[in-house]
Amino acid sequence: MIIDFAPTRLRLPTGTIPATWIGAIGDTCMVHIRYWKMDHQTARWNQVTTMAIYCPTHHICYLTSDYPKGCPECGCTNTNQSAALS
């Protein structure tokens, strides 16, 4: 069985990187994503799977640990918004 995961963008303080959208968690604006991170000690790319928040206005994902005040583009919190994540 082949499953296609949707490409998306993850906003980090150092810039925007490509990520893979695995699935949405209801209408909470939380999404399950996968991205690759460089381990500078071993010089290898490691796969990271985590939950992020999706901004339906700017179509980006971001981590609450990096942006605790909400979306880095609009500065609003998306936890109470109802958005179609499909």
Side-chain angles (χ1 to χ4, degrees):
M1 178 165 72
I2 298 172
I3 299 173
D4 281 337
F5 296 115
T8 188
R9 297 177 302 153
L10 174 64
R11 174 63 63 91
L12 297 173
T14 57
T16 303
I17 61 171
T20 304
W21 177 306
I22 298 173
I25 304 171
D27 62 353
T28 62
C29 290
M30 296 290 288
V31 295
H32 200 116
I33 62 168
R34 179 181 301 137
Y35 65 96
W36 293 89
K37 183 177 181 181
M38 170 67 85
D39 182 2
H40 296 290
Q41 294 179 347
T42 62
R44 293 182 184 226
W45 289 95
N46 295 323
Q47 179 177 304
V48 178
T49 303
T50 188
M51 291 189 311
I53 297 178
Y54 175 73
C55 178
T57 306
H58 297 102
H59 306 289
I60 61 169
C61 298
Y62 60 93
L63 303 175
T64 54
S65 59
D66 293 336
Y67 299 100
K69 294 185 179 181
C71 176
E73 294 288 326
C74 59
C76 65
T77 56
N78 291 318
T79 55
N80 294 327
Q81 286 183 353
S82 176
L85 296 175
S86 56

